[in-house]
Amino acid sequence: MTSWLLLAAAGAPEGGLFDLDATLPLMAVQVVILTFILNALFFRPVGKTVEERESYISTSRAEAKQQLAQTERLEADLRHQLREARQQAQTLIVDAEQEMDRLYRSALAEAQAEANASRESARREIDSQRQQAEDTLNGEADRLGDLIVTRLLAVQ
Amino acid sequence: MVPLPFFLPFAELEVGQHLYWQVGGYQIHGQVFLSSWLVIGALLALVVAGTRKLERDPRGVQNLLEFIWGYLRDLSREQIGEKAYRDWLPFIGTLFLFIFVSNWGGALVPWKLIHLPSGELGAPTADINTTIALALLVSLAYFYAGLSRKGFRYFEYYVEPTPIMLPFKIVEDFTKPLSLSFRLFGNILADELVVAVLAFLVPLIVPLPAMFLGLFTSAIQALIFATLAAYYIGEAVHEEHH
């Protein structure tokens, strides 16, 4: 039980806790060599992989962002085109309606004018025929009256 | 050792004993290297398994590795700054991973099952040599970072905002590695000792809360070490805005 305490305290020429010897430089060399080996086997390749992945992710992100922006631009463009097309269609419809209205009105007016004209001419025809008939009737009546008068006077 | 009424193979305490290896006339602590190789092996296995097939859609271990990478990047970017953090991420990350896996390995792996002739396996960071090595690397790193980025203008840092700061900043250069190494060493060793002593006294259940606390401390210490290292480097490369 006491032997290890004695050893720790004594620092005997052979052994002891603070026994410095050639272990020190050899261990240092060993750690330096380990540093180079780990650098070649671990730090460089893993760092390369991680950094490649990071750059891959960042470029993919940038690309995706760019594509998103492009899509948004296209969408806005198409939206604009759509609105214009709608407006055009609207004006076309309005134009067509107006045109139709105008045509309808003109056709209606024409038809009315024609109807009026034909009614007028018919009325005039009727009037002239009635006048003619009246004239003929009046002439006939006059003639008959004259005849009656002539006959009566002849009898007497 | 005082003979105990019962003997438990997992509850021996050995502190300050090392498994010595001779390398070209120098002595090294074999158990530290053995466990550090296991730690490095585990790290490399994880990394190799996770990066064998890197894909843009991560799956399996790649997720974990990317999480760790992101965590370490955020840590170093926050402390070092946007401009210079890339150069230092591998260093900070390696420090964090090595310390973290060492600490958790020391706490989770039943090292006692592997018997060594002397000393015992444990967290490599429970050895003062390792922590001083790491702390000195941090010192070198922030000097190098400051000098390479700003040249000799780096030394302006010592007299900013006023020359009165000069002695304090010079002392800081010594206290930084000292505090880094001793903080890590002390925490991890203390955790292992607490768990070992508790397991030695009451082998069942009682050490568990200390073990959980140890896991928590281990993670926090790794984070503190990496954060401070990054902060020191960030301080060195920081450009004053006049």
Side-chain angles (χ1 to χ4, degrees), chain A residues 61-98:
Chain A
R61 253 177 82 95
E63 260 172 36
K65 232 176 224 172
Q66 207 178 346
Q67 280 179 352
L68 189 71
Q70 201 176 355
T71 315
E72 270 167 3
R73 215 170 45 236
L74 273 174
E75 197 194 347
D77 200 27
L78 285 175
R79 223 181 263 280
H80 182 69
Q81 280 185 7
L82 192 68
R83 209 173 48 230
E84 264 181 9
R86 279 219 180 102
Q87 270 175 355
Q88 258 175 357
Q90 202 61 39
T91 51
L92 266 179
I93 289 170
V94 169
D95 278 359
E97 270 175 353
Q98 279 173 349

Side-chain angles (χ1 to χ4, degrees), chain A residues 15-16 19 21 23 30 51 53, chain B residues 16 20 29 36 56 66 86:
Chain A
D19 181 27
D21 54 18
T23 312
Q30 196 168 280
E51 272 158 11
R53 181 185 312 126
Chain B
Y20 284 102
H29 295 170
S36 75
R56 204 168 61 197
E66 284 188 9
R86 269 163 210 284

